[in-house]
Amino acid sequence: MIEVISAGFQTTVQDCGRIGLRKFGITPGGALDPISLRLANLLVRNLEWTAGLECVSGRLRLRFHDERLMAWSGGEFEIRVGGNLVPILHCARVSIDADVEILPQRGGRAWLAISGGINVPEILGSRATDLRAHFGGWEGRALRDGDELPLGMESESCARVRDEIPDHVSDWSAPRFIGPGKILRIIRGKNWDDDIGAKLLAQKFRVAMNSDRMGLRLEGEEIAPASRRELVSEAVTPGTIQLPPSGAPVVLLQGCQTIGGYPKIAHVITVDLGYAAQLQPLHEVRFQLIELGEARELLREREREIALFRAGLEARFG
Amino acid sequence: MKIDALGDSALIINLADEISDSSRLLARVLSAAEKIEGAKLPGVVDVTSSYESVAVFFNPPQIEPQIEDKIRALIASAGVRVSGKKRRVEIPVCYDEEFALDLDRVANQTSLTPDAIVALHSSAEYTVVCIGFMPGFPFLAGLPQQLRVPRLESPRTKVSAGSVAIANAQAGVYPLESPGGWNVLGRTPLQLFRVNESPPMLLRPGDCVRFRKITRDEFQAYER
């Protein structure tokens, strides 16, 4: 069990989300950067889609009442186990009654995986917290001080991993995927046109204060929609850049709605969604246009690298 | 049939060029979605439909290179499903000022009185086109022509659960509190999404829906 001593700002239980339920209006949701959560899970020998914690700026303190392995990935954070620093994407031993402290540096978001995972009830096929619909995760809400999170069973290979961590932290680590800075790569959307595209690519946008897990609302020089013709509502997906009549684009994130009616001018490519998840209000961001084939190739390449890491761990720890 | 990329991990297929009649188009879209879902193509993780289109979501590294041709062939063979017996669902709505945030503005935009708007809204028969945007949110076709007004210029950050709303040719109900850009005409005490019930949704695509005007007292009686 993990005791939440200090819950931070908006810490939630997240896994890789709900699959195949869009037709009921249920968003896939889950970790805003699923790749970070998957890598952290691999490090502690969990299945990749096991539930962990998504931490947002704010100091978080957890007390472990079981001996476990822990790993994290995401933005710029200082994370300590019993006072010892745990570098990003390394595996740490957490002893019984040790405290884990999560201190945002330049912050963003971080994903924490614990061997065995957070064992909250599975609802509609996932343990992810849907904050908008108030279900899943821990009581359908962000964590509060005093919450006690049950943990699942560790995989057998955790014992072997512990044997190979003589000190506090592993000397091996997962691959770290560094983004192209505050640039998000995009592909054209079905309502793209060259005038809108030129305005989207020419400027730096500022992330607005009212951005959340559903989407980043951007501020900049207004982009006039090509026509005032309203569209019928249809599917949208994480990464979709919608252009409401206000002229301020919205980049949808993993917690987004399933259907939208605003023009879809472009889409942030899947491998860059993790970088989008690190953007905070007042940050600046630019877009760079690439082709669909390249976006899919980048995703294939990313999955290949994760598969290689997974195979390496399996070869070493079984 | 027009196929567009919906980001790098989905396709959206619009069928509006095939059929102009909206109820036949809906039947066509629902049968196409069912056919694709039933085919269980490798790498496909989700299939949804809306008014004119079907969306297919997948993991790019797992799909076959000819996925677009396969989808095209499946849709071509899907035909138009002949709808069976429709379920009929009545949704009580209180149109009191307290809940009808946009009634006066819609009255101005349409040059109708608020009473006329309520009468039109609650006398029409609607069809559930799809459930989307958020859990249990029904997109309804069948809004009377006179009530067509655009979405809000900038969406509200908070719309209350149960809000009954319209936008263009669409009508809907917000099952949960959420941001939203539709014009709110009233509120229903019914819960359209209950996560612990099976199924968790009150409505499903193809259902026939009517709104019934209720008083503030009746609304409160429901809530109890």
Side-chain angles (χ1 to χ4, degrees), chain A residues 79-93:
Chain A
I79 298 189
R80 290 176 184 277
V81 172
N84 297 303
L85 204 60
V86 180
I88 189 168
L89 291 164
H90 283 65
C91 181
R93 294 173 62 149

PDB file of all heavy atoms in Angstrom, chain A residues 79-93:
ATOM      1  N   ILE A  79      13.280  13.567  -8.123  1.00  0.00           N
ATOM      2  CA  ILE A  79      12.548  12.525  -7.414  1.00  0.00           C
ATOM      3  C   ILE A  79      13.525  11.766  -6.516  1.00  0.00           C
ATOM      4  O   ILE A  79      14.599  11.352  -6.963  1.00  0.00           O
ATOM      5  CB  ILE A  79      11.820  11.601  -8.416  1.00  0.00           C
ATOM      6  CG1 ILE A  79      10.795  12.459  -9.194  1.00  0.00           C
ATOM      7  CG2 ILE A  79      11.157  10.421  -7.701  1.00  0.00           C
ATOM      8  CD1 ILE A  79       9.828  11.720 -10.067  1.00  0.00           C
ATOM      9  N   ARG A  80      13.166  11.673  -5.239  1.00  0.00           N
ATOM     10  CA  ARG A  80      14.046  11.029  -4.254  1.00  0.00           C
ATOM     11  C   ARG A  80      13.325   9.886  -3.548  1.00  0.00           C
ATOM     12  O   ARG A  80      12.151  10.006  -3.231  1.00  0.00           O
ATOM     13  CB  ARG A  80      14.499  12.047  -3.199  1.00  0.00           C
ATOM     14  CG  ARG A  80      15.470  13.075  -3.746  1.00  0.00           C
ATOM     15  CD  ARG A  80      15.810  14.122  -2.690  1.00  0.00           C
ATOM     16  NE  ARG A  80      16.660  15.136  -3.292  1.00  0.00           N
ATOM     17  CZ  ARG A  80      17.985  15.021  -3.430  1.00  0.00           C
ATOM     18  NH1 ARG A  80      18.591  13.937  -2.967  1.00  0.00           N
ATOM     19  NH2 ARG A  80      18.677  15.967  -4.028  1.00  0.00           N
ATOM     20  N   VAL A  81      14.087   8.821  -3.319  1.00  0.00           N
ATOM     21  CA  VAL A  81      13.582   7.706  -2.511  1.00  0.00           C
ATOM     22  C   VAL A  81      14.424   7.666  -1.253  1.00  0.00           C
ATOM     23  O   VAL A  81      15.639   7.490  -1.337  1.00  0.00           O
ATOM     24  CB  VAL A  81      13.702   6.369  -3.272  1.00  0.00           C
ATOM     25  CG1 VAL A  81      13.354   5.217  -2.342  1.00  0.00           C
ATOM     26  CG2 VAL A  81      12.795   6.355  -4.482  1.00  0.00           C
ATOM     27  N   GLY A  82      13.793   7.854  -0.098  1.00  0.00           N
ATOM     28  CA  GLY A  82      14.539   7.875   1.159  1.00  0.00           C
ATOM     29  C   GLY A  82      15.706   8.846   1.088  1.00  0.00           C
ATOM     30  O   GLY A  82      16.794   8.558   1.593  1.00  0.00           O
ATOM     31  N   GLY A  83      15.533   9.949   0.415  1.00  0.00           N
ATOM     32  CA  GLY A  83      16.574  10.978   0.319  1.00  0.00           C
ATOM     33  C   GLY A  83      17.523  10.808  -0.847  1.00  0.00           C
ATOM     34  O   GLY A  83      18.245  11.732  -1.204  1.00  0.00           O
ATOM     35  N   ASN A  84      17.541   9.617  -1.462  1.00  0.00           N
ATOM     36  CA  ASN A  84      18.466   9.380  -2.583  1.00  0.00           C
ATOM     37  C   ASN A  84      17.833   9.735  -3.917  1.00  0.00           C
ATOM     38  O   ASN A  84      16.712   9.314  -4.203  1.00  0.00           O
ATOM     39  CB  ASN A  84      18.881   7.904  -2.632  1.00  0.00           C
ATOM     40  CG  ASN A  84      19.626   7.507  -1.390  1.00  0.00           C
ATOM     41  OD1 ASN A  84      20.650   8.097  -1.041  1.00  0.00           O
ATOM     42  ND2 ASN A  84      19.091   6.529  -0.678  1.00  0.00           N
ATOM     43  N   LEU A  85      18.571  10.469  -4.725  1.00  0.00           N
ATOM     44  CA  LEU A  85      18.079  10.917  -6.023  1.00  0.00           C
ATOM     45  C   LEU A  85      17.873   9.724  -6.972  1.00  0.00           C
ATOM     46  O   LEU A  85      18.737   8.869  -7.083  1.00  0.00           O
ATOM     47  CB  LEU A  85      19.097  11.881  -6.617  1.00  0.00           C
ATOM     48  CG  LEU A  85      18.595  12.877  -7.644  1.00  0.00           C
ATOM     49  CD1 LEU A  85      17.504  13.775  -7.055  1.00  0.00           C
ATOM     50  CD2 LEU A  85      19.762  13.709  -8.158  1.00  0.00           C
ATOM     51  N   VAL A  86      16.744   9.702  -7.642  1.00  0.00           N
ATOM     52  CA  VAL A  86      16.489   8.680  -8.666  1.00  0.00           C
ATOM     53  C   VAL A  86      16.476   9.370 -10.031  1.00  0.00           C
ATOM     54  O   VAL A  86      15.575  10.149 -10.326  1.00  0.00           O
ATOM     55  CB  VAL A  86      15.121   7.985  -8.445  1.00  0.00           C
ATOM     56  CG1 VAL A  86      14.887   6.930  -9.519  1.00  0.00           C
ATOM     57  CG2 VAL A  86      15.045   7.375  -7.063  1.00  0.00           C
ATOM     58  N   PRO A  87      17.479   9.101 -10.873  1.00  0.00           N
ATOM     59  CA  PRO A  87      17.478   9.736 -12.199  1.00  0.00           C
ATOM     60  C   PRO A  87      16.300   9.245 -13.038  1.00  0.00           C
ATOM     61  O   PRO A  87      15.783   8.149 -12.804  1.00  0.00           O
ATOM     62  CB  PRO A  87      18.801   9.288 -12.824  1.00  0.00           C
ATOM     63  CG  PRO A  87      19.565   8.595 -11.764  1.00  0.00           C
ATOM     64  CD  PRO A  87      18.620   8.192 -10.686  1.00  0.00           C
ATOM     65  N   ILE A  88      15.939  10.058 -13.999  1.00  0.00           N
ATOM     66  CA  ILE A  88      14.847   9.698 -14.909  1.00  0.00           C
ATOM     67  C   ILE A  88      15.161   8.363 -15.592  1.00  0.00           C
ATOM     68  O   ILE A  88      16.316   8.077 -15.922  1.00  0.00           O
ATOM     69  CB  ILE A  88      14.631  10.824 -15.956  1.00  0.00           C
ATOM     70  CG1 ILE A  88      13.361  10.583 -16.765  1.00  0.00           C
ATOM     71  CG2 ILE A  88      15.842  10.988 -16.881  1.00  0.00           C
ATOM     72  CD1 ILE A  88      12.938  11.791 -17.596  1.00  0.00           C
ATOM     73  N   LEU A  89      14.113   7.514 -15.751  1.00  0.00           N
ATOM     74  CA  LEU A  89      14.200   6.255 -16.492  1.00  0.00           C
ATOM     75  C   LEU A  89      15.218   5.256 -15.927  1.00  0.00           C
ATOM     76  O   LEU A  89      15.807   4.469 -16.670  1.00  0.00           O
ATOM     77  CB  LEU A  89      14.473   6.536 -17.985  1.00  0.00           C
ATOM     78  CG  LEU A  89      13.292   7.181 -18.704  1.00  0.00           C
ATOM     79  CD1 LEU A  89      13.708   7.795 -20.030  1.00  0.00           C
ATOM     80  CD2 LEU A  89      12.162   6.160 -18.941  1.00  0.00           C
ATOM     81  N   HIS A  90      15.420   5.310 -14.610  1.00  0.00           N
ATOM     82  CA  HIS A  90      16.202   4.291 -13.918  1.00  0.00           C
ATOM     83  C   HIS A  90      15.266   3.544 -12.969  1.00  0.00           C
ATOM     84  O   HIS A  90      14.187   4.040 -12.657  1.00  0.00           O
ATOM     85  CB  HIS A  90      17.348   4.916 -13.124  1.00  0.00           C
ATOM     86  CG  HIS A  90      18.503   5.322 -13.988  1.00  0.00           C
ATOM     87  ND1 HIS A  90      18.404   6.312 -14.938  1.00  0.00           N
ATOM     88  CD2 HIS A  90      19.787   4.848 -14.040  1.00  0.00           C
ATOM     89  CE1 HIS A  90      19.572   6.434 -15.553  1.00  0.00           C
ATOM     90  NE2 HIS A  90      20.425   5.566 -15.036  1.00  0.00           N
ATOM     91  N   CYS A  91      15.723   2.398 -12.501  1.00  0.00           N
ATOM     92  CA  CYS A  91      14.894   1.602 -11.602  1.00  0.00           C
ATOM     93  C   CYS A  91      15.434   1.750 -10.179  1.00  0.00           C
ATOM     94  O   CYS A  91      16.624   1.562  -9.937  1.00  0.00           O
ATOM     95  CB  CYS A  91      14.943   0.135 -12.045  1.00  0.00           C
ATOM     96  SG  CYS A  91      13.938  -0.937 -11.029  1.00  0.00           S
ATOM     97  N   ALA A  92      14.563   2.098  -9.226  1.00  0.00           N
ATOM     98  CA  ALA A  92      14.995   2.312  -7.842  1.00  0.00           C
ATOM     99  C   ALA A  92      14.329   1.304  -6.918  1.00  0.00           C
ATOM    100  O   ALA A  92      13.186   0.908  -7.134  1.00  0.00           O
ATOM    101  CB  ALA A  92      14.634   3.729  -7.404  1.00  0.00           C
ATOM    102  N   ARG A  93      15.069   0.898  -5.879  1.00  0.00           N
ATOM    103  CA  ARG A  93      14.487   0.056  -4.826  1.00  0.00           C
ATOM    104  C   ARG A  93      13.861   0.961  -3.784  1.00  0.00           C
ATOM    105  O   ARG A  93      14.479   1.915  -3.340  1.00  0.00           O
ATOM    106  CB  ARG A  93      15.578  -0.761  -4.134  1.00  0.00           C
ATOM    107  CG  ARG A  93      16.223  -1.772  -5.013  1.00  0.00           C
ATOM    108  CD  ARG A  93      17.393  -2.419  -4.301  1.00  0.00           C
ATOM    109  NE  ARG A  93      16.936  -3.135  -3.106  1.00  0.00           N
ATOM    110  CZ  ARG A  93      17.554  -4.222  -2.652  1.00  0.00           C
ATOM    111  NH1 ARG A  93      18.608  -4.704  -3.267  1.00  0.00           N
ATOM    112  NH2 ARG A  93      17.111  -4.828  -1.578  1.00  0.00           N
TER     113      ARG A  93
END
